[in-house]
Amino acid sequence: MLKQTVDYAFQASSCVSLQPKSKLHPESLKRVKENKNGHCTKVMRSVNMENLTSVYLFPEISRREYEHSQRYPNAKIIKLGIGDTSEPIPECIASAMAKQALALSTVEGYSGYGDEQGNKALRKRIAEKFYKNMGIKGEEVFVSDGAQCDISRLQMLLGSHVTVAVQDPSFPAYIDSSVIFGRARNLQGQNGKYDRIVYMKCTPNNDFFPDLSNTPRTDIIFFCSPNNPTGTAASAAQLRRLVDFATANGSIIVYDSSYAAYISDGSPTSIYQIPGAKQVAIEISSFSKFAGFTGVRLGWTVVPEELSYSNGFPIIKDYDRIVCTCFNGASNIVQAGGLACLSDEGFQAVSRVVNYYKENANILAEAFRGLGMVVYGGQNAPYLWVHFPGSSSWELFADILEKTHIVTIPGRGFGPGGESYIRVSSFGHRETILEASERLTSLRKLNFN
């Protein structure tokens, strides 16, 4: 067992340049041991990076999927894990991007850099389409290359001094980016939580909405609805409590509405449907899952003019500076596709695809219920959250993959609250979903329970 800390003097046989009396994280020691070229620079690895868990969840799933494919080269692997869309982008939208791309070959149609904040017409259209009657202006919408990139830009905006709360289970990027920006301190090995991050437990017992009466104050609250991974959407009454909680504590909500297009039960599609939210909330969203832009890359962030720091300075001004410093704007080709998505024809077309994925979710939910499992999600999101009480989620993942060649996601990868669950994606061609359903049904014959 390697010691927890060591002087760089112990590295003399491995590195040319040494910094005496500096401490090394255990992970650094491992890397020193693995160093093959015999040379190290004098630059120390960021302690924040060392505090991260070894790998990000989704690349780890891809690695295990690859290993499985090597063991079973003739197996047809069905991917219901990583939430990647599968259906073609509607022709009217793809044609708009193709037309924009072709125009770049002409003197009249060529354009270079656009506004870092995004095409003005697209910003206005997003405000009109998704925030009608909510008082959001186009100038408060910042178009980007995707919600996940915006999470990191917001982390940069907010600095390393702030405290953070997340839902548990939670999309891993909220936690990992908080660690990278120095807000988390150490990982507690016994429970998988970071010292300075507040984990708001979300279970069936509280309708997947945290008990705010027992939640300590933090500066930032990351909140996703419909939630990834649980697939549940917060009600208006629940979001009212969240906004009131943030207002009373002087906190900022970073609200992720990337799956809002899947809501079908009347739940709010934006935090700004709640009065007072513009004073306490930033909203991020994406074209990825409702328009099939996972590989095209387009998203947006809303920063209301009413939102300010403790000294009264408008946060939108700092976010504009972050965007101008770190980003040259989304692709003009992709933004043309975004505008086409929000046309009447385009929106109807992408809505049909969303409904297709929701039908897939129903098919898969029935298969799991046939195994006697309790299934959450699917109605307002493309994800199922399937409960296997008392089971290890990573063992479930491995067992399902081994017996059916179906890739899922272990719930534990989304935080401690995900133990004994798996997340199942409904993205896939219908024939693949039906085959997956048949394979899952066969598990009853294998005494899976």
Side-chain angles (χ1 to χ4, degrees), residues 276-295:
K278 288 192 291 181
Q279 285 76 42
V280 297
I282 294 169
E283 182 165 310
I284 56 177
S285 200
S286 172
F287 285 80
S288 289
K289 305 301 167 65
F290 93 88
F293 275 30
T294 51

PDB file of all heavy atoms in Angstrom, residues 276-295:
ATOM      1  N   GLY A 276     -41.027  35.147  -9.267  1.00  0.00           N
ATOM      2  CA  GLY A 276     -39.862  35.409  -8.434  1.00  0.00           C
ATOM      3  C   GLY A 276     -38.617  34.663  -8.845  1.00  0.00           C
ATOM      4  O   GLY A 276     -37.524  34.943  -8.322  1.00  0.00           O
ATOM      5  N   ALA A 277     -38.727  33.725  -9.779  1.00  0.00           N
ATOM      6  CA  ALA A 277     -37.570  32.902 -10.164  1.00  0.00           C
ATOM      7  C   ALA A 277     -36.493  33.711 -10.871  1.00  0.00           C
ATOM      8  O   ALA A 277     -35.314  33.379 -10.788  1.00  0.00           O
ATOM      9  CB  ALA A 277     -38.014  31.735 -11.041  1.00  0.00           C
ATOM     10  N   LYS A 278     -36.885  34.778 -11.552  1.00  0.00           N
ATOM     11  CA  LYS A 278     -35.878  35.558 -12.275  1.00  0.00           C
ATOM     12  C   LYS A 278     -34.888  36.241 -11.339  1.00  0.00           C
ATOM     13  O   LYS A 278     -33.787  36.596 -11.759  1.00  0.00           O
ATOM     14  CB  LYS A 278     -36.560  36.601 -13.175  1.00  0.00           C
ATOM     15  CG  LYS A 278     -37.252  35.989 -14.388  1.00  0.00           C
ATOM     16  CD  LYS A 278     -37.661  37.044 -15.387  1.00  0.00           C
ATOM     17  CE  LYS A 278     -38.778  37.908 -14.854  1.00  0.00           C
ATOM     18  NZ  LYS A 278     -39.197  38.940 -15.853  1.00  0.00           N
ATOM     19  N   GLN A 279     -35.258  36.391 -10.077  1.00  0.00           N
ATOM     20  CA  GLN A 279     -34.350  36.994  -9.104  1.00  0.00           C
ATOM     21  C   GLN A 279     -33.367  35.990  -8.510  1.00  0.00           C
ATOM     22  O   GLN A 279     -32.403  36.380  -7.845  1.00  0.00           O
ATOM     23  CB  GLN A 279     -35.136  37.642  -7.964  1.00  0.00           C
ATOM     24  CG  GLN A 279     -35.806  38.950  -8.322  1.00  0.00           C
ATOM     25  CD  GLN A 279     -37.068  38.757  -9.158  1.00  0.00           C
ATOM     26  OE1 GLN A 279     -37.861  37.870  -8.882  1.00  0.00           O
ATOM     27  NE2 GLN A 279     -37.253  39.588 -10.167  1.00  0.00           N
ATOM     28  N   VAL A 280     -33.605  34.682  -8.747  1.00  0.00           N
ATOM     29  CA  VAL A 280     -32.769  33.674  -8.072  1.00  0.00           C
ATOM     30  C   VAL A 280     -32.285  32.547  -8.980  1.00  0.00           C
ATOM     31  O   VAL A 280     -31.588  31.649  -8.512  1.00  0.00           O
ATOM     32  CB  VAL A 280     -33.515  33.041  -6.870  1.00  0.00           C
ATOM     33  CG1 VAL A 280     -33.815  34.078  -5.812  1.00  0.00           C
ATOM     34  CG2 VAL A 280     -34.791  32.323  -7.320  1.00  0.00           C
ATOM     35  N   ALA A 281     -32.610  32.559 -10.279  1.00  0.00           N
ATOM     36  CA  ALA A 281     -32.329  31.373 -11.087  1.00  0.00           C
ATOM     37  C   ALA A 281     -31.700  31.694 -12.441  1.00  0.00           C
ATOM     38  O   ALA A 281     -32.061  32.664 -13.107  1.00  0.00           O
ATOM     39  CB  ALA A 281     -33.602  30.555 -11.306  1.00  0.00           C
ATOM     40  N   ILE A 282     -30.765  30.833 -12.817  1.00  0.00           N
ATOM     41  CA  ILE A 282     -30.204  30.745 -14.162  1.00  0.00           C
ATOM     42  C   ILE A 282     -30.717  29.439 -14.753  1.00  0.00           C
ATOM     43  O   ILE A 282     -30.773  28.418 -14.065  1.00  0.00           O
ATOM     44  CB  ILE A 282     -28.667  30.724 -14.110  1.00  0.00           C
ATOM     45  CG1 ILE A 282     -28.123  32.056 -13.579  1.00  0.00           C
ATOM     46  CG2 ILE A 282     -28.062  30.408 -15.483  1.00  0.00           C
ATOM     47  CD1 ILE A 282     -26.639  32.032 -13.251  1.00  0.00           C
ATOM     48  N   GLU A 283     -31.100  29.460 -16.023  1.00  0.00           N
ATOM     49  CA  GLU A 283     -31.597  28.222 -16.645  1.00  0.00           C
ATOM     50  C   GLU A 283     -30.720  27.840 -17.833  1.00  0.00           C
ATOM     51  O   GLU A 283     -30.397  28.685 -18.675  1.00  0.00           O
ATOM     52  CB  GLU A 283     -33.054  28.382 -17.104  1.00  0.00           C
ATOM     53  CG  GLU A 283     -33.643  27.113 -17.723  1.00  0.00           C
ATOM     54  CD  GLU A 283     -35.161  27.159 -17.827  1.00  0.00           C
ATOM     55  OE1 GLU A 283     -35.805  27.482 -16.808  1.00  0.00           O
ATOM     56  OE2 GLU A 283     -35.699  26.882 -18.918  1.00  0.00           O
ATOM     57  N   ILE A 284     -30.327  26.567 -17.869  1.00  0.00           N
ATOM     58  CA  ILE A 284     -29.600  26.033 -19.023  1.00  0.00           C
ATOM     59  C   ILE A 284     -30.480  25.019 -19.733  1.00  0.00           C
ATOM     60  O   ILE A 284     -31.307  24.341 -19.107  1.00  0.00           O
ATOM     61  CB  ILE A 284     -28.261  25.387 -18.605  1.00  0.00           C
ATOM     62  CG1 ILE A 284     -28.486  24.301 -17.552  1.00  0.00           C
ATOM     63  CG2 ILE A 284     -27.283  26.425 -18.120  1.00  0.00           C
ATOM     64  CD1 ILE A 284     -27.227  23.572 -17.150  1.00  0.00           C
ATOM     65  N   SER A 285     -30.322  24.922 -21.042  1.00  0.00           N
ATOM     66  CA  SER A 285     -31.110  23.952 -21.803  1.00  0.00           C
ATOM     67  C   SER A 285     -30.374  23.589 -23.088  1.00  0.00           C
ATOM     68  O   SER A 285     -29.273  24.098 -23.342  1.00  0.00           O
ATOM     69  CB  SER A 285     -32.507  24.495 -22.106  1.00  0.00           C
ATOM     70  OG  SER A 285     -33.393  23.442 -22.409  1.00  0.00           O
ATOM     71  N   SER A 286     -30.987  22.739 -23.895  1.00  0.00           N
ATOM     72  CA  SER A 286     -30.250  22.139 -25.003  1.00  0.00           C
ATOM     73  C   SER A 286     -31.167  21.690 -26.122  1.00  0.00           C
ATOM     74  O   SER A 286     -32.330  21.337 -25.895  1.00  0.00           O
ATOM     75  CB  SER A 286     -29.465  20.937 -24.458  1.00  0.00           C
ATOM     76  OG  SER A 286     -28.870  20.199 -25.496  1.00  0.00           O
ATOM     77  N   PHE A 287     -30.632  21.698 -27.329  1.00  0.00           N
ATOM     78  CA  PHE A 287     -31.309  21.110 -28.481  1.00  0.00           C
ATOM     79  C   PHE A 287     -30.997  19.616 -28.615  1.00  0.00           C
ATOM     80  O   PHE A 287     -31.560  18.944 -29.482  1.00  0.00           O
ATOM     81  CB  PHE A 287     -30.867  21.811 -29.775  1.00  0.00           C
ATOM     82  CG  PHE A 287     -31.469  23.179 -29.982  1.00  0.00           C
ATOM     83  CD1 PHE A 287     -30.961  24.285 -29.329  1.00  0.00           C
ATOM     84  CD2 PHE A 287     -32.545  23.361 -30.839  1.00  0.00           C
ATOM     85  CE1 PHE A 287     -31.503  25.551 -29.511  1.00  0.00           C
ATOM     86  CE2 PHE A 287     -33.099  24.618 -31.042  1.00  0.00           C
ATOM     87  CZ  PHE A 287     -32.575  25.720 -30.369  1.00  0.00           C
ATOM     88  N   SER A 288     -30.115  19.097 -27.798  1.00  0.00           N
ATOM     89  CA  SER A 288     -29.609  17.735 -27.998  1.00  0.00           C
ATOM     90  C   SER A 288     -30.695  16.681 -27.978  1.00  0.00           C
ATOM     91  O   SER A 288     -30.810  15.865 -28.893  1.00  0.00           O
ATOM     92  CB  SER A 288     -28.556  17.398 -26.944  1.00  0.00           C
ATOM     93  OG  SER A 288     -27.372  18.110 -27.171  1.00  0.00           O
ATOM     94  N   LYS A 289     -31.510  16.665 -26.918  1.00  0.00           N
ATOM     95  CA  LYS A 289     -32.417  15.541 -26.717  1.00  0.00           C
ATOM     96  C   LYS A 289     -33.796  15.764 -27.303  1.00  0.00           C
ATOM     97  O   LYS A 289     -34.541  14.810 -27.490  1.00  0.00           O
ATOM     98  CB  LYS A 289     -32.514  15.228 -25.213  1.00  0.00           C
ATOM     99  CG  LYS A 289     -31.154  14.979 -24.558  1.00  0.00           C
ATOM    100  CD  LYS A 289     -30.401  13.818 -25.201  1.00  0.00           C
ATOM    101  CE  LYS A 289     -28.945  13.751 -24.781  1.00  0.00           C
ATOM    102  NZ  LYS A 289     -28.717  13.476 -23.383  1.00  0.00           N
ATOM    103  N   PHE A 290     -34.160  17.014 -27.588  1.00  0.00           N
ATOM    104  CA  PHE A 290     -35.475  17.203 -28.215  1.00  0.00           C
ATOM    105  C   PHE A 290     -35.368  17.367 -29.722  1.00  0.00           C
ATOM    106  O   PHE A 290     -36.353  17.154 -30.436  1.00  0.00           O
ATOM    107  CB  PHE A 290     -36.224  18.381 -27.569  1.00  0.00           C
ATOM    108  CG  PHE A 290     -36.061  19.709 -28.238  1.00  0.00           C
ATOM    109  CD1 PHE A 290     -36.901  20.091 -29.273  1.00  0.00           C
ATOM    110  CD2 PHE A 290     -35.087  20.610 -27.818  1.00  0.00           C
ATOM    111  CE1 PHE A 290     -36.760  21.326 -29.880  1.00  0.00           C
ATOM    112  CE2 PHE A 290     -34.947  21.847 -28.417  1.00  0.00           C
ATOM    113  CZ  PHE A 290     -35.786  22.202 -29.451  1.00  0.00           C
ATOM    114  N   ALA A 291     -34.185  17.691 -30.235  1.00  0.00           N
ATOM    115  CA  ALA A 291     -34.036  17.881 -31.673  1.00  0.00           C
ATOM    116  C   ALA A 291     -33.008  16.937 -32.291  1.00  0.00           C
ATOM    117  O   ALA A 291     -32.724  17.047 -33.482  1.00  0.00           O
ATOM    118  CB  ALA A 291     -33.663  19.331 -31.980  1.00  0.00           C
ATOM    119  N   GLY A 292     -32.441  16.038 -31.496  1.00  0.00           N
ATOM    120  CA  GLY A 292     -31.453  15.106 -32.031  1.00  0.00           C
ATOM    121  C   GLY A 292     -30.116  15.753 -32.336  1.00  0.00           C
ATOM    122  O   GLY A 292     -29.381  15.280 -33.199  1.00  0.00           O
ATOM    123  N   PHE A 293     -29.763  16.806 -31.596  1.00  0.00           N
ATOM    124  CA  PHE A 293     -28.526  17.548 -31.857  1.00  0.00           C
ATOM    125  C   PHE A 293     -27.371  17.076 -30.982  1.00  0.00           C
ATOM    126  O   PHE A 293     -26.435  17.837 -30.730  1.00  0.00           O
ATOM    127  CB  PHE A 293     -28.759  19.041 -31.632  1.00  0.00           C
ATOM    128  CG  PHE A 293     -29.324  19.772 -32.822  1.00  0.00           C
ATOM    129  CD1 PHE A 293     -30.137  19.141 -33.737  1.00  0.00           C
ATOM    130  CD2 PHE A 293     -29.051  21.125 -33.026  1.00  0.00           C
ATOM    131  CE1 PHE A 293     -30.671  19.825 -34.823  1.00  0.00           C
ATOM    132  CE2 PHE A 293     -29.562  21.815 -34.108  1.00  0.00           C
ATOM    133  CZ  PHE A 293     -30.377  21.164 -35.005  1.00  0.00           C
ATOM    134  N   THR A 294     -27.379  15.828 -30.538  1.00  0.00           N
ATOM    135  CA  THR A 294     -26.300  15.369 -29.662  1.00  0.00           C
ATOM    136  C   THR A 294     -24.934  15.493 -30.335  1.00  0.00           C
ATOM    137  O   THR A 294     -23.941  15.806 -29.677  1.00  0.00           O
ATOM    138  CB  THR A 294     -26.529  13.917 -29.219  1.00  0.00           C
ATOM    139  OG1 THR A 294     -26.787  13.103 -30.370  1.00  0.00           O
ATOM    140  CG2 THR A 294     -27.714  13.816 -28.269  1.00  0.00           C
ATOM    141  N   GLY A 295     -24.877  15.251 -31.624  1.00  0.00           N
ATOM    142  CA  GLY A 295     -23.625  15.391 -32.351  1.00  0.00           C
ATOM    143  C   GLY A 295     -23.485  16.711 -33.075  1.00  0.00           C
ATOM    144  O   GLY A 295     -22.397  17.060 -33.548  1.00  0.00           O
TER     145      GLY A 295
END
